[in-house]
Amino acid sequence: IVVVGTGYVGLSNAVVLARHHDVTAVDIDAAKVELIDARISPIDDVELADHLAKRPLRLRATTDADAAYADAGFVLVATPTDYDPQTSYFDTRSVEGVVSAALTVNPAAVVVIKSTVPVGFTEELRERHPGATILFSPEFLREGRALYDNLHPSRIVVGDRGEAGRAFADLMVEGADDTDIPVLLTDSTEAESIKLFANTYLALRVAYLDRK
């Protein structure tokens, strides 16, 4: 399994999956790669720091993306998609670049998008890469508690109703500490909508709390 991007989403997913599988974390930042290989968390997250330092993980990190893609069964994309509220625009160029590069090296890999993207984005990517298996699986994580939220997920949502979607959902359930986890397999656009609606709801809650 390859995870591209080692922010809160990418690194927490890499650690969860590395409890049972060989995982390669890919990042363009060589300093972050060195920290991860030294079992030091490059981000502030108590559970991540503990697991990297003390737990047995089948995890390594690299800046050589192409070498990592070559043997991957799954490639998780967790690169930034900065959102501009003035233009309502997601900058998805990093995701598009990773998907294209991974499928060029390894067309058989299952690509799982973990980055936040606009509704319809995954379907558009599938049209650009006919024959490829591209899924969207949203995250519902808190900064600073990302690994905890992956170990104890409120739900697992995968935007694919087929065999690949089920296989990925099973990987996430396997890595969690909880056993009775709601799993929802949907169409890709529905999964993208779930993520955006969840973000909007949380933003509204914060807005109203700030007023008090």
Side-chain angles (χ1 to χ4, degrees):
I1 301 171
V2 172
V3 180
V4 185
T6 59
Y8 284 103
V9 172
L11 191 54
S12 63
N13 274 273
V15 167
V16 163
L17 293 167
R19 300 174 88 189
H20 302 286
H21 301 275
D22 294 327
V23 176
T24 301
V26 174
D27 204 289
I28 59 174
D29 187 334
K32 291 180 76 173
V33 165
E34 288 181 12
L35 286 173
I36 294 167
D37 277 339
R39 292 295 187 261
I40 300 170
S41 177
I43 55 181
D44 185 15
D45 185 298
V46 173
E47 284 81 17
L48 270 175
D50 175 77
H51 274 67
L52 284 169
K54 301 175 183 176
R55 308 297 177 93
L57 298 174
R58 293 157 58 180
L59 174 67
R60 71 179 190 93
T62 184
T63 58
D64 189 346
D66 285 354
Y69 298 148
D71 298 322
F74 287 87
V75 175
L76 278 62
V77 186
T79 56
T81 52
D82 296 327
Y83 176 71
D84 184 345
Q86 301 300 320
T87 61
S88 299
Y89 174 76
F90 282 97
D91 186 349
T92 58
R93 287 175 294 178
S94 67
V95 175
E96 293 168 46
V98 169
V99 172
S100 179
L103 291 174
T104 297
V105 174
N106 184 352
V110 176
V111 177
V112 182
I113 299 170
K114 284 289 184 178
S115 306
T116 302
V117 296
V119 175
F121 177 77
T122 307
E123 192 59 43
E124 181 183 324
L125 276 186
R126 289 171 178 163
E127 291 174 1
R128 282 194 230 166
H129 301 279
T133 304
I134 305 173
L135 322 178
F136 175 73
S137 179
E139 289 296 334
F140 309 98
L141 307 177
R142 296 167 293 171
E143 289 190 7
R145 301 304 304 276
L147 182 57
Y148 179 90
D149 290 340
N150 261 325
L151 293 172
H152 308 279
S154 59
R155 70 278 205 201
I156 292 171
V157 178
V158 181
D160 182 86
R161 300 179 187 272
E163 195 173 303
R166 170 55 65 184
F168 182 70
D170 289 345
L171 286 175
M172 297 306 297
V173 170
E174 179 188 35
D177 282 343
D178 294 349
T179 54
D180 188 18
I181 304 167
V183 175
L184 182 61
L185 303 182
T186 72
D187 296 330
S188 62
T189 52
E190 185 178 353
E192 291 160 348
S193 298
I194 289 169
K195 173 60 176 175
L196 294 179
F197 287 146
N199 283 2
T200 302
Y201 171 68
L202 290 174
L204 283 171
R205 287 186 62 187
V206 170
Y208 278 106
L209 286 171
D210 284 346
R211 288 185 180 184
K212 294 182 178 180

